[in-house]
Amino acid sequence: MTTTPKSSTMTGAEIVIKSLIDQGVEVVFGYPGGAVLPIYDELFKQNQIKHILVRHEQGATHAAEGYARSTGKPGVVLVTSGPGATNAVTGLQDALMDSIPLVCLTGQVPTFMIGNDAFQEADTIGITRPCTKHNWLVKDTDELAETMHEAFYVATSGRPGPVLIDIPKDVQFADGTYQPPRNFKPKAYQPKLKGDTADIQAAVELMEGAKKPLFYTGGGVINSGPHASTLLRDLVEATGFPITSTLMGLGAYPASGDKWLGMLGMHGTYEANWAMHDCDVMVCVGARFDDRITGRLDAFAPNSKKIHIDIDPSSINKNVRADVPIVGDVGHVLEDMIRIFRARGAKTEKTAVAKWWDQIDEWRGGKCLDFLNSETLIKPQYAVQRLADAMVKHGDYYVTTEVGQHQMWAAQYIPFDAPNRWMTSGGLGTMGYGCPAAVGVQVAHPDSLVVDVAGEASFMMTMQEMSTAIQYGLPIKIFILNNERLGMVRQWQQLLHGERYSSSYSEALPDFVKMAEAFGCVGLRCDKPGDLDGAIDEMINVDKPVIFDCLVEKHENCFPMIPSGKAHNEMLLSSSVSADNIGDAIKSDGAVLV
Amino acid sequence: MELKRGSSSHSAYHLRPALKEGEERRTLAVLVDNESGVLARVIGLFSGRGYNIESLTVAETDHTGHRSRITVVTTGTPMVLDQIKAQLERMIPVHRVRDLTVEGPSVERELALVKVANAGDLRVEALRIRDAFRAQVVDASLESFVFELTGSPEKIDAFVDLMRPLGLVDVSRTGVAAISRGPGEM
């Protein structure tokens, strides 16, 4: 500790604000309550940090995630003790699963009351220990500044994630010494950024000899920063290899690029999944072989050598054994990889790879995302396509989603040509993510078009954040594919549970147009394919929050689909499933899996 | 007190059960910052991810540096064991993880306090076995002894088994502490 002048003595609440300012924080998403009042008092007295008052603490966490995901900066959440903290838990776990940097500050009852079952007391540290990357209870104001700076370091370095600081109310009132952020590095936690050169060399050698190569990329590319996406594009161009991505990695390689195969996984494209199954060298960049991606593990890419680049050593060899594991930051590793690849003469098996592309083009020719359109009913896929076209025409768009069928259609049909433009709850699959996330994205990008592609059921979980959007003049667009069903649940019940639709339809839905008006938003409804383009244009052009109630075909299923427990080459396509055989499309042994 | 043969498999730590097919037993040494909640973090990792804990001991070993050393005996397939190590290593307060089973020879010791209550020949026999195991008498009354015994978990199992017909009343065990052989530090 350095000796500090008396002038840097301040209250705990002042230290919190000063630390946030010194960390470059511009926006805090929060909700006040008894145990954080001293901090709110300090927020009131300053103008550097903007506070966004949400309507539920879960909304604060998702808004902070949207902010973080769309800017690359950490999102900051401020909530009170007890229910404030427990309401934030879903968002923390969501951020943990998707590696989103969040710093969550929670108030706590005064230190002398901890453990007494005091009013609004909860064991926040105990509750959030498994759903944060790390958390701290600060019992001494003198330790507050250092803890704040350490929290930002831990949240943003290595594999990013949520952290939480629990601050008892007496610590907020007490005087302590402020320490500015120094070049802070905890001794025990030093993530490795540079990959091992010998490993990268071995990877390049595998790639040089590959006859059926494939890049399989994920959210790690986006977390590594825009530079990593640029490097990925360079490497794809330099090698001429095809590329697919997980849900979390969309936009790292442009959807308009000619090497792009579309998303892979449970609802990925036919060409991406077949390429995964048949490839001989798989280059996994910042993805984690999640069960939505691999399908049946013992049949996963059976004839491939796997190169796995990940900053988190525990992601390597967790589900799938890597032949060449490379621990390091995607940006750093890709830079070395390109350098070594070029230094060795940029060699590839050109003839074999050209043959591989012929095969891929044949798969592409199946046009797996085609669907039977209707002239009278709006097909949800058609609605998303029309929305995508309008957004592309408008330019500068960000998309968030809720969770379910609409999320997969959005991933399939909306093209992203840049990273940080697509915000969705991948790992945790949190219904209710999209609306508050859109709030956070719009706060960060006030002049851009921000659309939440939603389902009516997900939206109803956190729709009170429309009130936040109105309060802060955030013209977010909620584009609801309203099928009056929990569409994905209904689809699984149809395929796996003998068409017994247990609690998967939405009764007593509100009139979303009237609800929009009640919030002070603009409400639009559309139920005819012919009216869709005009209505979407109206939604985009109005400078207010909009709830767009798009009434779609109620029983549409989301295809392609790899049923749980199946391999990539056992995919169901919309053309192969008819009304007669749909109940038998999946064997019951897959039903035990989620 | 009811204890079956291989008594430790019925202890709170569920010590030394038979290994399942493909599983191995490993002793890990984990050096951590001795901060509040660090043990809960480590245990939470094991319980949350479904890993086994056969034995776990922890104490501060560096009072000035506030470092604690956790010795954990765990079982799993080689893939799971690697995953356990990787998961431990990425925790913020964890400085180092060493696999003492794999990384060269090591010494493992456990301490037990064993209480027997008996009289006459049984009392004499208990003392004779104590001599053979080189256990200490740390408490004695006219009806009972408390023995202190240090050794491998198997040695303690054997001693406890022998004490059972001789009036075994109570057993307290520390769990395994382990260290590598030779001059190297952790």
Side-chain angles (χ1 to χ4, degrees):
Chain A
M1 287 238 178
T2 50
T3 42
T4 38
K6 260 203 151 111
S7 59
S8 67
T9 296
M10 41 180 108
T11 67
E14 287 170 331
I15 288 175
V16 168
I17 301 302
K18 177 81 173 128
S19 310
L20 293 177
I21 291 170
D22 284 357
Q23 287 290 342
V25 173
E26 291 164 5
V27 187
V28 170
F29 300 90
Y31 204 102
V36 280
L37 284 178
I39 298 174
Y40 270 88
D41 210 20
E42 292 307 320
L43 270 176
F44 186 78
K45 295 179 194 162
Q46 57 82 50
N47 287 315
Q48 277 169 279
I49 296 175
K50 185 173 185 184
H51 179 266
I52 304 292
L53 174 69
V54 293
R55 298 302 185 264
H56 185 287
E57 289 87 350
Q58 184 187 349
T61 55
H62 294 325
E65 285 186 274
Y67 179 90
R69 189 88 184 157
S70 67
T71 61
K73 293 191 270 188
V76 180
V77 175
L78 173 61
V79 296
T80 194
S81 64
T86 56
N87 280 345
V89 163
T90 301
L92 293 173
Q93 178 68 15
D94 192 274
L96 185 75
M97 298 282 274
D98 286 345
S99 309
I100 311 295
L102 291 192
V103 176
C104 179
L105 308 174
T106 52
Q108 183 53 280
V109 302
T111 48
F112 53 86
M113 291 177 82
I114 289 176
N116 275 359
D117 299 330
F119 177 64
Q120 292 196 329
E121 182 183 354
D123 175 11
T124 303
I125 291 297
I127 289 168
T128 61
R129 197 177 282 130
C131 61
T132 54
K133 187 173 169 187
H134 197 62
N135 61 13
W136 297 263
L137 170 65
V138 180
K139 285 181 160 173
D140 179 348
T141 309
D142 278 331
E143 288 170 8
L144 187 52
E146 176 120 3
T147 307
M148 289 286 296
H149 300 317
E150 185 178 0
F152 276 88
Y153 173 74
V154 170
T156 53
S157 60
R159 179 177 177 179
V163 299
L164 180 143
I165 309 178
D166 202 24
I167 314 172
K169 198 172 181 182
D170 55 335
V171 173
Q172 298 171 33
F173 275 123
D175 283 336
T177 314
Y178 180 72
Q179 306 277 350
R182 38 196 176 93
N183 193 9
F184 182 81
K185 268 197 178 150
K187 278 199 196 107
Y189 173 65
Q190 289 172 348
K192 191 164 163 259
L193 295 176
K194 289 279 283 181
D196 187 89
T197 311
D199 292 341
I200 298 172
Q201 178 119 0
V204 170
E205 281 170 26
L206 265 185
M207 288 158 69
E208 286 168 349
K211 295 189 166 63
K212 298 172 174 183
L214 180 66
F215 285 105
Y216 147 48
T217 64
V221 184
I222 288 164
N223 277 332
S224 182
H227 184 54
S229 292
T230 309
L231 290 168
L232 178 68
R233 292 160 193 224
D234 290 349
L235 184 61
V236 171
E237 288 320 306
T239 55
F241 294 172
I243 175 170
T244 179
S245 161
T246 67
L247 182 72
M248 298 310 294
L250 298 177
Y253 182 83
S256 56
D258 62 347
K259 307 291 185 295
W260 177 240
L261 304 189
M263 181 177 76
L264 82 158
M266 185 173 270
H267 293 288
T269 66
Y270 188 74
E271 49 270 33
N273 285 332
W274 267 95
M276 280 295 271
H277 185 269
D278 279 10
C279 71
D280 68 347
V281 173
M282 179 189 297
V283 190
C284 170
V285 189
R288 59 185 177 86
F289 296 92
D290 173 81
D291 55 74
R292 298 290 104 157
I293 296 304
T294 60
R296 204 175 96 209
L297 268 177
D298 60 6
F300 173 70
N303 303 315
S304 67
K305 294 272 185 205
K306 296 168 194 80
I307 299 161
H308 188 181
I309 304 168
D310 205 300
I311 199 163
D312 176 9
S314 72
S315 282
I316 292 173
N317 291 338
K318 184 171 65 181
N319 303 327
V320 172
R321 187 157 286 283
D323 298 282
V324 182
I326 303 171
V327 177
D329 165 62
V330 165
H332 286 76
V333 174
L334 287 183
E335 199 165 332
D336 288 345
M337 195 174 255
I338 291 170
R339 188 174 42 75
I340 292 171
F341 178 73
R342 291 206 167 121
R344 291 166 57 93
K347 294 174 284 186
T348 55
E349 291 284 340
K350 289 209 170 50
T351 327
V353 174
K355 245 179 91 187
W356 177 228
W357 271 112
D358 290 343
Q359 171 66 68
I360 288 170
D361 284 338
E362 200 177 301
W363 289 325
R364 277 173 163 172
K367 299 206 176 295
C368 67
L369 295 180
D370 280 3
F371 56 91
L372 200 61
N373 210 353
S374 157
E375 290 191 357
T376 48
L377 286 170
I378 300 177
K379 289 281 185 162
Q381 302 96 319
Y382 179 70
V384 176
Q385 273 185 339
R386 296 321 305 149
L387 172 69
D389 275 9
M391 288 193 300
V392 169
K393 212 164 64 192
H394 178 276
D396 187 22
Y397 58 93
Y398 292 81
V399 175
T400 70
T401 74
E402 309 292 337
V403 166
Q405 286 181 322
H406 66 272
Q407 177 190 29
M408 293 298 111
W409 283 317
Q412 290 171 340
Y413 294 104
I414 300 175
F416 296 96
D417 279 358
N420 303 100
R421 295 275 170 167
W422 162 249
M423 271 59 55
T424 192
S425 172
L428 194 63
T430 309
M431 291 173 73
Y433 168 89
C435 172
V439 167
V441 175
Q442 191 83 76
V443 167
H445 309 278
D447 299 324
S448 304
L449 173 63
V450 181
V451 179
D452 170 25
V453 178
E456 82 288 347
S458 283
F459 175 56
M460 286 182 72
M461 286 198 174
T462 53
M463 63 184 178
Q464 66 274 25
E465 301 306 337
M466 292 315 286
S467 176
T468 312
I470 289 291
Q471 180 174 343
Y472 297 98
L474 307 168
I476 60 172
K477 320 295 181 192
I478 310 296
F479 189 77
I480 302 174
L481 301 179
N482 186 351
N483 59 2
E484 300 171 14
R485 302 286 183 283
L486 313 186
M488 193 61 93
V489 172
R490 193 208 58 78
Q491 177 169 343
W492 280 54
Q493 287 172 335
Q494 183 175 24
L495 293 172
L496 280 162
H497 292 273
E499 302 181 53
R500 293 179 294 280
Y501 299 118
S502 181
S503 297
S504 60
Y505 50 93
S506 307
E507 260 181 312
L509 282 172
D511 179 329
F512 285 108
V513 171
K514 279 188 187 158
M515 199 177 73
E517 286 158 5
F519 272 118
C521 309
V522 172
L524 299 170
R525 179 170 295 124
C526 187
D527 61 359
K528 289 187 190 65
D531 299 342
L532 200 50
D533 284 342
I536 288 173
D537 281 345
E538 191 181 348
M539 172 185 87
I540 290 175
N541 290 328
V542 62
D543 190 24
K544 279 184 113 180
V546 177
I547 299 176
F548 189 114
D549 189 15
C550 186
L551 302 177
V552 298
E553 151 75 75
K554 300 184 200 308
H555 302 103
E556 192 70 17
N557 283 324
C558 185
F559 291 114
M561 178 181 184
I562 304 174
S564 292
K566 294 284 183 180
H568 283 152
N569 57 355
E570 298 174 285
M571 203 176 330
L572 297 178
L573 296 170
S574 57
S575 54
S576 65
V577 180
S578 68
D580 306 328
N581 68 4
I582 194 154
D584 311 319
I586 301 181
K587 296 276 183 299
S588 57
D589 53 354
V592 69
L593 301 167
V594 287
Chain B
M1 185 173 176
E2 273 187 51
L3 286 172
K4 288 182 192 157
R5 191 169 165 74
S7 58
S8 53
S9 67
H10 296 269
S11 78
Y13 292 129
H14 200 66
L15 278 165
R16 309 271 151 174
L19 286 173
K20 285 188 201 128
E21 178 89 23
E23 291 197 344
E24 295 170 22
R25 176 177 287 114
R26 300 276 178 86
T27 303
L28 307 179
V30 188
L31 199 62
V32 299
D33 284 324
N34 186 16
E35 59 183 36
S36 148
V38 67
L39 186 59
R41 254 176 240 291
V42 170
I43 292 172
L45 169 71
F46 278 78
S47 62
R49 291 186 181 265
Y51 305 146
N52 301 313
I53 297 180
E54 288 210 342
S55 159
L56 182 117
T57 63
V58 56
E60 190 169 85
T61 49
D62 174 359
H63 297 305
T64 47
H66 300 291
R67 301 277 173 83
S68 288
R69 180 168 171 134
I70 298 172
T71 308
V72 54
V73 180
T74 182
T75 58
T77 62
M79 203 156 163
V80 166
L81 291 163
D82 286 346
Q83 186 58 206
I84 291 173
K85 281 186 269 182
Q87 292 287 351
L88 283 169
E89 269 164 354
R90 76 174 186 151
M91 300 183 97
I92 309 299
V94 170
H95 288 256
R96 232 170 298 157
V97 180
R98 287 286 174 270
D99 186 333
L100 294 172
T101 310
V102 167
E103 300 170 21
S106 62
V107 189
E108 292 189 8
R109 288 293 179 270
E110 187 177 2
L111 184 143
L113 297 171
V114 180
K115 185 183 283 186
V116 289
N118 48 20
D121 286 351
L122 294 181
R123 201 164 155 82
V124 176
E125 184 59 21
L127 281 174
R128 239 199 311 256
I129 292 171
R130 170 204 73 120
D131 281 344
F133 278 78
R134 278 176 283 174
Q136 306 292 317
V137 176
V138 291
D139 178 70
S141 72
L142 292 174
E143 303 92 39
S144 68
F145 287 117
V146 174
F147 297 124
E148 175 200 315
L149 176 66
T150 307
S152 68
E154 291 77 12
K155 178 179 169 181
I156 291 169
D157 281 351
F159 184 75
V160 170
D161 275 352
L162 287 168
M163 286 300 132
R164 190 163 297 114
L166 305 178
L168 181 71
V169 173
D170 222 350
V171 181
S172 173
R173 302 172 67 147
T174 59
V176 172
I179 203 161
S180 64
R181 290 181 187 271
E185 67 167 340
M186 185 183 161

